[in-house]
Amino acid sequence: MSKSDQTKVALVCLKTSQNITNQSLLQVFGKHGKITKILIFEQGPMQTKVFIEYEEPDQAQDAINCLNNTKVMNNIICNVYPSRLRELKLDNVPNTKGMDLTQKLPFSMPSLWDLNVNEDECAQQVSEERQVDIRKRLSMIDDEISRTIESKLDNALIKLYQQTKCLRVLMGDYRLEEILHRTSKYGKIVQLLPLHQFRFT
C-alpha cells in the first residue's frame, strides 16, 4: 500500500464498560504520534469505539502495530484497525464525544506527543496516592477497634469491681457506710438487706 493510500485515522475498539474520556485516550495513543482529532462514536455496555486521527499516516500505522490486541489503561482489551475514513469531521459534536486539537484553544494545551508523557510514572503516582489513602483508612479502622476494645474492657472491669464488692459485703468485710460510699457511684442503691437475712451454704 502506497503512502497516499494510507489513512491517518485509526479505529479503536475497547472492550470495557468504563467511562472512556478524550484525555485518557490522548494519554495512551498520543505516545505514537501527534493526534489531531478524536471521536468517541459508540459507547455500549461492554464496548467503546473511537476514531483517532493522527497528523501523519505513519503515526496511525504505528499505533495500530503497537496497540492492536493489547491491554491498555486499567487492563482494558484494545483492538486497533485502519479506518476507511480519510479524515474526521467533528461538526456539531459535543466536547465529551469529540476533540479537535487543530482548533486554536483559548489556553495553551501542548499535546502529549510533544511532552512525551511517561505512562508508567503516571501509574506510579496513582499507585502512591492509593497507598496513602489505604494507610489512612487502616489507621481509622485501627483507632475504632482500639476505642471499642477500651470501652468494653472498662465496662467489664466495672462489672467485675461491682461483683467483687458484693461478695465482700456478703462476707462481712464492709460496714454500711463504706458500702454506700463505694457503690453509689455505679448506680442508685434500691435496697440493702441485713446480713442475717442471707444464708450461706
Side-chain angles (χ1 to χ4, degrees):
M1 182 184 293
S2 64
K3 188 171 182 178
S4 60
D5 295 330
Q6 291 180 343
T7 178
K8 299 185 295 183
V9 182
L11 170 61
V12 180
C13 299
L14 301 170
K15 294 183 179 180
T16 180
S17 58
Q18 300 178 27
N19 182 35
I20 303 300
T21 64
N22 294 320
Q23 288 73 19
S24 60
L25 292 167
L26 271 173
Q27 182 176 338
V28 175
F29 290 88
K31 297 196 302 183
H32 299 277
K34 188 170 184 178
I35 295 175
T36 53
K37 296 175 185 176
I38 296 176
L39 175 62
I40 303 174
F41 67 92
E42 181 179 323
Q43 283 187 305
M46 295 301 295
Q47 182 171 253
T48 295
K49 294 183 179 180
V50 184
F51 285 126
I52 296 180
E53 181 185 285
Y54 286 90
E55 192 171 54
E56 298 293 338
D58 292 343
Q59 297 170 350
Q61 190 60 47
D62 183 64
I64 294 168
N65 295 338
C66 295
L67 296 177
N68 184 41
N69 198 25
T70 61
K71 292 183 178 181
V72 298
M73 302 179 199
N74 295 323
N75 215 27
I76 297 174
I77 297 176
C78 173
N79 292 300
V80 189
Y81 313 98
S83 172
R84 295 180 181 178
L85 299 176
R86 294 298 177 187
E87 64 175 334
L88 291 179
K89 295 185 181 296
L90 301 182
D91 299 336
N92 300 321
V93 175
N95 293 335
T96 55
K97 298 293 184 181
M99 177 180 288
D100 188 348
L101 299 176
T102 62
Q103 298 295 322
K104 187 175 181 180
L105 299 175
F107 53 88
S108 177
M109 184 178 175
S111 69
L112 293 177
W113 173 251
D114 296 329
L115 293 176
N116 191 22
V117 171
N118 190 326
E119 187 177 4
D120 293 335
E121 291 180 358
C122 295
Q124 183 179 2
Q125 182 179 1
V126 172
S127 177
E128 290 176 354
E129 291 175 353
R130 290 189 63 184
Q131 288 178 8
V132 171
D133 182 62
I134 290 172
R135 291 194 199 99
K136 289 182 179 179
R137 291 176 182 269
L138 289 175
S139 178
M140 292 173 61
I141 293 172
D142 184 59
D143 291 342
E144 184 65 27
I145 292 174
S146 298
R147 286 194 297 268
T148 303
I149 292 175
E150 289 175 0
S151 176
K152 291 189 175 183
L153 183 59
D154 287 343
N155 291 333
L157 289 173
I158 290 173
K159 289 181 179 179
L160 179 62
Y161 177 81
Q162 291 173 330
Q163 292 172 359
T164 302
K165 293 300 181 184
C166 290
L167 288 174
R168 296 178 69 180
V169 167
L170 291 175
M171 297 177 67
D173 287 350
Y174 288 93
R175 298 194 306 271
L176 179 60
E177 293 81 4
E178 292 175 330
I179 296 170
L180 291 172
H181 176 70
R182 294 171 180 265
T183 62
S184 60
K185 62 179 180 179
Y186 297 109
K188 184 178 179 181
I189 297 176
V190 178
Q191 185 179 10
L192 287 174
L193 298 178
L195 279 176
H196 69 270
Q197 293 188 14
F198 292 95
R199 295 180 180 179
F200 299 93
T201 58

